[in-house]
Amino acid sequence: MSVDNDWQPVVIEYLATATPQQKHYFVLRTNYDDLEDSPIVATLIDDPSLDAATAQALFWLLGGGAHWFELGGESEDPEVLTLTTLRDRLITGFYRGSGLAFDPRDDEGHDWVAEYGPLPDNAAPQLVHPHPGAELGADDFDDYLDGLPVDVYDRL
């Protein structure tokens, strides 16, 4: 992807028509360097059609966990505000399930909870409990790079 932000509208356009499965795959496979407070992440967070498992994955992949819990969401830092919004929307049911899976304790063998833990005892279950459902893998998305279809990636 290019260093400047000219590519972000292309990704946002793609996400506007992507299926829940495509959005989930994008969240699981994209590189989040410098995306924490980007319009791409804001687009995902503001999308009520985003699967709850996808939103939970986004929370962890953006660095949610002990650091966020230590701050208690009491910061004006854009990354903390993003995570706070995600947390609040997960807890209140803003995101619905469409049968996709995510387990923050076993994301293809990676344990985000252990990496970012320990978590407080009162951590909301919507953040830490696994979402059962369909697992998506690379075999489901031939011709994708960094979570995007090759034709979209080539436009970046």
Side-chain angles (χ1 to χ4, degrees):
M1 290 185 212
S2 65
V3 176
D4 58 34
N5 292 333
D6 293 343
W7 55 271
Q8 291 191 33
V10 174
V11 176
I12 291 168
E13 177 185 323
Y14 164 71
L15 292 172
T17 60
T19 66
Q21 294 82 3
Q22 289 170 318
K23 290 174 191 174
H24 194 74
Y25 193 73
F26 173 80
V27 165
L28 293 176
R29 296 289 184 251
T30 197
N31 181 343
Y32 289 97
D33 291 347
D34 302 320
L35 283 186
E36 291 88 359
D37 60 349
S38 76
I40 293 169
V41 170
T43 297
L44 288 164
I45 291 171
D46 291 340
D47 182 357
S49 72
L50 193 69
D51 188 272
T54 307
Q56 183 190 42
L58 186 59
F59 178 83
W60 287 98
L61 294 170
L62 287 174
H67 174 68
W68 180 85
F69 283 101
E70 285 172 17
L71 297 172
E74 302 295 327
S75 171
E76 295 302 315
D77 179 86
E79 183 178 351
V80 173
L81 292 173
T82 295
L83 291 169
T84 300
T85 300
L86 260 171
R87 189 264 339 241
D88 291 348
R89 290 181 177 176
L90 276 160
I91 291 171
T92 62
F94 180 81
Y95 307 109
R96 303 288 181 209
S98 61
L100 298 173
F102 182 75
D103 182 351
R105 288 187 171 91
D106 185 12
D107 177 22
E108 296 182 352
H110 191 90
D111 186 341
W112 295 104
V113 177
E115 181 174 329
Y116 292 127
L119 300 180
D121 292 336
N122 66 346
Q126 296 90 335
L127 300 178
V128 295
H129 288 179
H131 283 268
E135 299 275 344
L136 301 178
D139 293 342
D140 299 308
F141 292 90
D142 292 336
D143 299 325
Y144 276 65
L145 293 171
D146 287 340
L148 295 168
V150 171
D151 64 318
V152 174
Y153 187 88
D154 286 346
R155 293 174 44 206
L156 305 181

